[in-house]
Amino acid sequence: MAKIILKFEQSVLKEVPLSQGVVTVGRLPDNTIHIDNLAVSGHHAKIYWDGEKFVIEDNNSLNGTYVNKHRVSKAELKDGDEVLVGKHTLSFKDEWHEGAPGGPAAEHNGPAVPQMQATMVLDTKKAKELLAMAAAARTGTPPPAPAGHESPAAPPPPAHVEPPAPPKERIGMFSVLDGKTDASSYVLGKMCVIGKSDMASIKLKGFFAPNMAALVNKRDNKYFIAASEAKIKVRINGQEIAGQRELHEGDVVEVAGIKLNFGFQE
């Protein structure tokens, strides 16, 4: 299946599988791919299946959409393409090859229909069976059983089982324990930046505070944190971390001179 991988610099923030539906990209929370960045328009672009290929279309965004460093209004996406939206990268991955079993051609062109070659000589019975199979494939109904091979009685339908309730959405938050910030607590969205820059959700104060110190993103109802640069150190409960690390209730995070306590809203 084709998918989009959202990245900021070297950090992977989210993976979104693609189907025949429309995937929207933008700064507002109602987008499928939400990018909380002032360089990104509210509804910046959209990705969708266009007959036989995936395409990306810019929604007249302020800063534009770039595919492999070329600004586009609408462009076909191919495996390995890199899409730049603001300061974030959308990597397009397509694991299927055109025409392969289960690939885009098979997925969107319906079930295969038995073909009869012009050079084949068929008796009447065999020809009728093949024609019946072809008609069934086009309509989506099961083909009739060949003469002498009646299908067994269908099993009774399974008893109705209520599907499990989806997990309750959990909203994370930081409480400031120490350091200079513009607020004493913060409610976390799908992605937020810790730093001094204008796009930061958790804004640091002080002349020497970094513009971007760390990134926090939400995936599968969990929150993860990572330093934005290799030279910046992030500690959780006193231990320095490398790469991304999941946050748990009660964790104490230290980064860029501030200390934060992580938890979930009641």
Side-chain angles (χ1 to χ4, degrees):
M1 175 180 286
K3 61 183 178 181
I4 289 290
I5 302 173
L6 173 64
K7 296 187 292 187
F8 182 81
E9 295 183 348
Q10 301 303 317
S11 299
V12 174
L13 305 181
K14 187 176 184 180
E15 291 189 8
V16 178
L18 298 179
S19 63
Q20 292 189 33
V22 177
V23 172
T24 60
V25 183
R27 193 178 71 253
L28 295 179
D30 61 346
N31 287 282
T32 312
I33 300 178
H34 174 220
I35 303 177
D36 187 10
N37 187 314
L38 293 179
V40 179
S41 297
H43 295 98
H44 196 102
K46 57 186 176 182
I47 301 169
Y48 56 93
W49 179 256
D50 186 16
E52 56 183 17
K53 60 186 179 297
F54 282 103
V55 298
I56 185 165
E57 184 174 343
D58 184 79
N59 290 334
N60 296 317
S61 63
L62 179 62
N63 293 317
T65 300
Y66 295 80
V67 177
N68 301 327
K69 299 183 179 180
H70 297 285
R71 185 165 184 168
V72 300
S73 57
K74 181 178 179 180
E76 176 183 354
L77 291 176
K78 298 179 181 178
D79 183 43
D81 279 350
E82 297 284 331
V83 179
L84 185 65
V85 174
K87 296 183 178 181
H88 290 68
T89 301
L90 305 175
S91 296
F92 177 72
K93 300 295 181 184
D94 188 358
E95 299 173 357
W96 301 108
H97 298 287
E98 185 176 0
E107 181 179 352
H108 300 287
N109 291 334
V113 177
Q115 300 294 321
M116 291 186 291
Q117 302 295 332
T119 55
M120 294 175 64
V121 179
L122 304 175
D123 58 38
T124 303
K125 176 182 175 182
K126 187 64 176 177
K128 287 182 178 179
E129 289 180 2
L130 281 177
L131 289 172
M133 291 174 64
R138 287 193 297 271
T139 60
T141 57
H149 296 82
E150 288 75 10
S151 300
H160 178 69
V161 179
E162 289 292 339
K168 182 180 178 181
E169 182 74 12
R170 301 198 300 173
I171 305 299
M173 63 178 299
F174 274 134
S175 299
V176 180
L177 301 177
D178 191 20
K180 296 180 179 180
T181 58
D182 65 340
S184 59
S185 63
Y186 301 89
V187 176
L188 304 179
K190 292 183 179 179
M191 184 177 67
C192 69
V193 174
I194 301 175
K196 192 171 64 174
S197 71
D198 293 337
M199 73 180 65
S201 306
I202 300 174
K203 196 173 293 294
L204 304 180
K205 294 184 177 181
F207 183 79
F208 295 104
N211 285 329
M212 298 186 66
L215 299 169
V216 179
N217 67 90
K218 184 179 184 182
R219 303 195 308 272
D220 301 327
N221 223 10
K222 300 177 183 179
Y223 288 86
F224 300 83
I225 189 169
S228 61
E229 300 179 17
K231 65 182 180 180
I232 295 178
K233 306 302 181 184
V234 176
R235 292 181 173 84
I236 298 179
N237 302 325
Q239 294 187 347
E240 186 176 320
I241 67 170
Q244 290 196 34
R245 183 70 60 86
E246 182 182 352
L247 291 170
H248 300 280
E249 182 83 36
D251 280 348
V252 175
V253 176
E254 297 175 75
V255 58
I258 64 170
K259 185 180 292 186
L260 306 166
N261 179 247
F262 175 79
F264 291 98
Q265 287 186 329
E266 297 295 335

